Amino acid sequence: MNTYPNNDLEILIATMNRSDLYFLESIFQQPLIEITANVVVINQSKSHLITTNSENIKVINSSEFGLSKSRNLAITNSSAALCWIMDDDCVILPDAINNIIEAHHRIPSTIITFQTETTKKEKLYYNYFSRKQSHTKKSLYTVLSPEITFKRKGLLGQGLKFNESFGLGADFQDSENFVFLNDAFYQDRSPYFYNQTVVRHEELNSSQEAANDRVIYARGAIAAYLKHNITFKKWKYGFFLFRKGLVLSTSELRRKIKTFENGANDYLKSIN
């Protein structure tokens, strides 16, 4: 069993258009000068630069855009044995770092995911597994970025990285976490779920997002990525939108189905 000291974890944060590091105070819930965790910040911007004098906070300013590009750049510039993906609008819970390190002591899996609570009376973000276990193909769909931790050496050794065609700022602006975790799953490196809560995030309405053209287009790309029957999947997704009352007319439904189909076709073109 591997052992990791408490300082052998880096938190990888993607952000945009920042000119200082004070946004970290909201994430860590403490003054900037008191943050002792090891942090890698990727600041994507054409005009804003961050500088740092902190030995434990590394900053990379990049003029390239795309969330998955930012994630990969952070991984490349990390150096700790363990890494934790973080969003810039989350709150890290007390003892989360120690709990993550302890989980990696116990579980040999390269990737271990955790739980998120919402700001609404400590309600959990999803209906997670009730116990620690390996992920299923289905459960990979609902993993949030700040729930993902990994052993850096194992990840790099497997050649795993975020697919830069997916995620905000990319061609298909959603599902980057699913593709990342699914790639690991099919390398027989099934990500492991650890039923412990490590971050807090505002509650979002996923039903509203399901009807967003950006999401529908990416879902079409995911169907193609998974080599599913696109004709069946586009009508299935259209029926889902209709049943949930997320489309209000047949013309809107046809447009949504076409958006799904376009996402699938454009993904297939991108890999050929």
Side-chain angles (χ1 to χ4, degrees):
M1 181 175 68
N2 290 323
T3 58
Y4 306 98
N6 287 348
N7 64 351
D8 212 2
L9 180 144
E10 278 182 311
I11 300 172
L12 314 182
I13 303 176
T15 193
M16 292 182 67
N17 297 319
R18 302 282 187 179
S19 55
D20 59 55
L21 291 169
Y22 286 101
F23 74 96
L24 294 177
E25 294 185 342
S26 296
I27 298 174
F28 288 90
Q29 297 289 285
Q30 60 185 147
L32 182 61
I33 60 173
E34 295 180 12
I35 296 173
T36 58
N38 297 312
V39 182
V40 177
V41 174
I42 306 299
N43 180 45
Q44 293 186 331
S45 179
K46 297 290 186 181
S47 58
H48 295 78
L49 297 177
I50 301 175
T51 59
T52 178
N53 295 319
S54 301
E55 292 184 1
N56 59 305
I57 302 176
K58 183 186 299 183
V59 174
I60 308 295
N61 292 291
S62 174
S63 59
E64 287 192 289
F65 289 93
L67 181 56
S68 289
K69 286 185 179 181
S70 186
R71 301 289 191 216
N72 287 335
L73 190 58
I75 293 170
T76 299
N77 284 278
S78 64
S79 56
L82 303 176
C83 295
W84 181 9
I85 301 293
M86 183 58 57
D87 287 339
D88 62 0
D89 58 352
C90 291
V91 173
I92 294 175
L93 298 182
D95 295 324
I97 292 175
N98 289 338
N99 291 337
I100 289 170
I101 292 172
E102 178 62 24
H104 279 277
H105 282 324
R106 296 174 178 273
I107 307 299
S109 300
T110 295
I111 300 173
I112 303 177
T113 76
F114 293 82
Q115 296 177 164
T116 299
E117 70 177 27
T118 72
T119 54
K120 187 176 181 180
K121 296 181 180 179
E122 298 185 355
K123 174 185 174 184
L124 290 180
Y125 200 95
Y126 288 119
N127 292 322
Y128 298 92
F129 293 126
S130 60
R131 60 183 177 85
K132 304 173 182 67
Q133 66 173 82
S134 294
H135 272 283
T136 64
K137 293 179 183 179
K138 184 177 180 180
S139 67
L140 298 180
Y141 281 97
T142 56
V143 177
L144 302 175
S145 299
E147 297 170 354
I148 300 173
T149 72
F150 56 86
K151 298 173 178 68
R152 182 176 181 273
K153 184 177 180 181
L155 192 84
L156 295 178
Q158 295 160 23
L160 282 171
K161 63 179 182 178
F162 283 85
N163 187 319
E164 296 181 0
S165 292
F166 291 89
L168 290 175
D171 293 334
F172 312 105
Q173 298 189 52
D174 194 57
S175 303
E176 71 283 355
N177 296 326
F178 169 74
V179 173
F180 173 72
L181 296 170
N182 190 68
D183 286 346
F185 190 95
Y186 277 98
Q187 288 187 20
D188 294 324
R189 301 288 181 176
S190 179
Y192 194 88
F193 169 73
Y194 206 87
N195 61 338
Q196 200 157 40
T197 307
V198 293
V199 291
R200 183 181 300 122
H201 192 280
E202 289 187 5
E203 188 174 35
L204 300 177
N205 189 329
S206 59
S207 294
Q208 291 178 348
E209 283 291 303
N212 186 296
D213 283 353
R214 168 184 66 83
V215 174
I216 294 171
Y217 184 73
R219 296 287 170 83
I222 287 295
Y225 157 79
L226 292 172
K227 300 180 180 179
H228 288 164
N229 183 309
I230 303 305
T231 300
F232 172 75
K233 284 292 183 178
K234 71 179 182 181
W235 285 107
K236 181 180 179 180
Y237 198 81
F239 178 72
F240 161 78
L241 294 175
F242 180 79
R243 180 169 54 86
K244 292 289 186 180
L246 298 175
V247 293
L248 302 178
S249 67
T250 55
S251 60
E252 185 183 14
L253 178 60
R254 284 195 296 268
R255 188 181 65 80
K256 297 291 186 183
I257 290 172
K258 185 63 175 176
T259 299
F260 187 102
E261 184 179 35
N262 288 342
N265 290 335
D266 288 347
Y267 173 79
L268 293 174
K269 290 176 184 177
S270 73
I271 62 173
N272 292 329

